[in-house]
Amino acid sequence: MTTPPSAAAPDPPEPPEPPEPTEPTQPSEPAAQPVSRAGRNLKAAIGVGVVLGILIITTLLVRKESFLVVIVIAVGIGMWELQAALRNVAVRAPLVPAVVGLVGMVWAAYVHGPAGLITAWVLTCAVIVLWRGSGRLDGAGRDVLGGIFISTYPPLLVGFAVLLLAAPDGVGRMFVFLITAVCSDIGGYAAGVWLGKHPMAPTISPKKSWEGFAGSVILCIVAGSLTIHFFLEHPWWIGIPLGVTVAIAATIGDLMESLIKRDLGIKDMSNILPGHGGIMDRLDSLIVVVPIVWAVLSLLAERAVA
């Protein structure tokens, strides 16, 4: 006889599932470094900036010729960064003749002035053509143009800093250049962070704004007027055209570097300077500004003294 369902024996209880193995506790990840609204690690950027500033000031005050060594090392690293970045677009720029040409340009500019700088640059370009032309011809045109590029930007432009330094009041001129250029960055950064609402070139550099540019102009004029008066004892009003042109040139240099990096598909030229990126990420505006400072001081300041 079949047992009614209601009288069926209850199912035995299922054994409890074994507890899942406990994963070992992972050490907590270090807290992320604070990043400013402008996208920088502000603490690291300030620390690196202070160290670089002390190095520059010390070499200029102890013996100005020692600053030439700083220029060669910094620009040499920048050229290496550019050469590595160009490899992303299959350009293998000759680095050895370019760096040798850098040393020649620095020496020629300091000893022989503008004519020496241009002559050394032309010779450097000729050597690059011969150096690359002696190998395989596949891609030689691209490589030669890349070599000329890294021998012009930044070495040729930085040569104007050497021309500033070579003058009898060269240390004062260098301080005018450096302080005004740094104030362009500070003024643009502060005004851009606090007031920036209207992008200047959103497809190239989204964080750069017209308000930041206005801050650069104002602080550059103030810095230019004060440094011209106190470091060189020239009329203060020369700081007005100096400040305006420095702010414009610095902005163009920043945008140009951003455009180059965007075309090469990279964010920074390297990461050797915490909070800044690479050497070229710091030299981008300086190397465009320095010919402007040299021209303004040569045309206006010297005529004002005469």
Side-chain angles (χ1 to χ4, degrees):
M1 188 171 75
T2 306
T3 305
S6 58
D11 295 334
E14 296 182 358
E17 296 182 358
E20 296 183 359
T22 304
E23 295 184 357
T25 304
Q26 299 292 335
S28 58
E29 296 183 357
Q33 294 294 326
V35 178
S36 70
R37 290 174 58 186
R40 293 184 188 179
N41 182 339
L42 194 56
K43 183 180 294 186
I46 293 175
V48 171
V50 170
V51 172
L52 293 177
I54 293 173
L55 174 63
I56 291 171
I57 293 172
T58 301
T59 52
L60 285 173
L61 293 181
V62 171
R63 185 175 180 84
K64 70 176 185 177
E65 287 81 5
S66 62
F67 187 65
L68 299 176
V69 179
V70 176
I71 291 177
V72 169
I73 294 174
V75 176
I77 296 174
M79 294 168 70
W80 167 76
E81 292 175 344
L82 284 172
Q83 193 241 17
L86 288 174
R87 288 180 175 271
N88 292 333
V89 290
V91 175
R92 290 169 173 78
L95 185 60
V96 172
V99 172
V100 173
L102 160 67
V103 177
M105 281 184 266
V106 169
W107 171 81
Y110 192 77
V111 176
H112 299 290
L117 172 63
I118 298 301
T119 301
W121 173 73
V122 171
L123 291 175
T124 301
C125 294
V127 171
I128 288 173
V129 173
L130 296 174
W131 181 286
R132 182 59 184 84
S134 63
R136 57 182 178 80
L137 296 180
D138 182 31
R142 294 195 307 268
D143 297 347
V144 167
L145 290 176
I148 293 175
F149 171 69
I150 67 173
S151 298
T152 305
Y153 171 81
L156 177 63
L157 297 180
V158 170
F160 288 91
V162 180
L163 296 178
L164 286 176
L165 190 64
D169 55 353
V171 173
R173 294 187 179 216
M174 285 299 300
F175 279 126
V176 169
F177 155 58
L178 292 170
I179 293 173
T180 308
V182 169
C183 283
S184 173
D185 193 24
I186 294 174
Y189 174 79
V193 167
W194 294 103
L195 304 174
K197 294 181 179 179
H198 300 87
M200 177 179 288
T203 58
I204 300 176
S205 183
K207 293 184 176 68
K208 192 168 292 295
S209 65
W210 286 105
E211 291 82 1
F213 174 70
S216 292
V217 172
I218 293 172
L219 198 57
C220 278
I221 290 176
V222 173
S225 300
L226 292 175
T227 54
I228 283 281
H229 177 71
F230 288 106
F231 285 104
L232 300 179
E233 298 183 350
H234 293 330
W236 67 267
W237 59 264
I238 297 176
I240 298 176
L242 177 68
V244 172
T245 52
V246 163
I248 294 173
T251 302
I252 292 174
D254 283 338
L255 293 175
M256 184 168 63
E257 179 84 358
S258 297
L259 187 59
I260 292 172
K261 291 187 290 189
R262 188 173 293 273
D263 284 346
L264 295 176
I266 58 177
K267 182 179 183 297
D268 292 318
M269 284 296 178
S270 73
N271 57 359
I272 63 175
L273 295 178
H276 293 270
I279 292 289
M280 283 305 304
D281 296 303
R282 290 298 87 207
L283 291 179
D284 52 4
S285 59
L286 294 176
I287 60 179
V288 179
V289 164
V290 66
I292 301 297
V293 176
W294 176 79
V296 170
L297 293 181
S298 298
L299 294 175
L300 295 181
E302 291 179 4
R303 288 186 180 182
V305 173

